[in-house]
Each structure stands twice: as structure tokens, then as C-alpha cells.
Amino acid sequence: QVQLVESGGGLVQAGGSLRLSCSVSGSIFSINDMGWYCQAPGKQRELVATITSDGSTNYADSVKGRFTISRDNAKNTVYLQMNSLKPDDTAVYYCNARVVLSIYEYDYWGQGTQVTVSS
């Protein structure tokens, strides 16, 4: 059974920083893309950032220059460094991992961590 465990959310003032972490555990052959998505109240879940297994990254326009995604393949962990936070960044942040089990790739999600940015 594969589990994604997130940590690092919380309440921060505008302009502040947070670092989210997501660790993947279980009987994993390998992990392909990993990413972070967010969902604000009344809105659909949307992409924040993704990173491939070899480190190529992709960001939503709204977070470019403020957020940095990284991963530690030895620890099966992905991080999201969030700087210069804005109230509009307030949302539940979900970790995603495309995990290879034997020969098939499966999509897994974390339970979500709340990020609240006060003005």
C-alpha cells in the first residue's frame, strides 16, 4: 500500500514563507512525476508545480519566482518552498505522485495540508 504524508502547512502573514514536504512510502518500484496542487474554497483543484524524476520543473504562472519545487529521490520526498506568500495563496495543498508498482504507473494523492495567508 502506498501512502503520501504531507507536512508543513499552517498560518502565516502575507510576505512570509512556508515549506511543505510530502513523503511517499510503500512497496514502490520508482516514482515518476511528483507535484503540488491547491484547492481554494469553492474552486477546482489546480496545479501549483510539478517536477520530473530527473528534476525538470513546471510552475503555474501565479507562483513563478515565489515558489520552488524540489525532490529527494533517495527519500521519496518532494518539497515546496513557498516565499512571498499572498492571501490569494490560501488553500489546501495536495501532494501528487505518479508511482510505478511493478510495470504500471498509478496516481496517488496526499491528504492535503492547509495553508492560510493572512493580510
Side-chain angles (χ1 to χ4, degrees), residues 32-35 49-53 55-58 69-71 78:
N32 291 333
D33 292 2
M34 304 181 81
T50 60
I51 185 167
T52 66
S53 57
S56 296
T57 59
N58 179 54
I69 188 170
S70 61
R71 64 191 283 175
V78 63

Side-chain angles (χ1 to χ4, degrees), residues 1-5 22-31 34 76 95-102 104-111:
Q1 186 178 358
V2 176
Q3 285 189 316
L4 275 63
V5 178
C22 173
S23 295
V24 183
S25 62
S27 300
I28 299 165
F29 179 74
S30 64
I31 304 175
M34 304 181 81
N76 290 336
C95 171
N96 172 262
R98 296 183 176 176
V99 179
V100 178
L101 306 177
S102 66
Y104 297 107
E105 181 184 270
Y106 298 88
D107 223 17
Y108 288 93
W109 292 89
Q111 79 284 359

Side-chain angles (χ1 to χ4, degrees), residues 29-119:
F29 179 74
S30 64
I31 304 175
N32 291 333
D33 292 2
M34 304 181 81
W36 291 94
Y37 293 73
C38 69
Q39 187 167 18
K43 295 187 177 181
Q44 290 192 339
R45 191 173 299 186
E46 59 185 29
L47 179 144
V48 176
T50 60
I51 185 167
T52 66
S53 57
D54 62 1
S56 296
T57 59
N58 179 54
Y59 295 93
D61 288 343
S62 60
V63 306
K64 284 180 181 176
R66 300 189 298 122
F67 292 8
T68 302
I69 188 170
S70 61
R71 64 191 283 175
D72 185 332
N73 290 331
K75 295 181 179 179
N76 290 336
T77 300
V78 63
Y79 305 97
L80 185 68
Q81 178 66 43
M82 310 165 69
N83 298 331
S84 302
L85 282 159
K86 305 175 182 179
D88 283 350
D89 295 320
T90 295
V92 178
Y93 284 72
Y94 295 91
C95 171
N96 172 262
R98 296 183 176 176
V99 179
V100 178
L101 306 177
S102 66
I103 62 172
Y104 297 107
E105 181 184 270
Y106 298 88
D107 223 17
Y108 288 93
W109 292 89
Q111 79 284 359
T113 185
Q114 177 70 46
V115 171
T116 303
V117 184
S118 63
S119 56

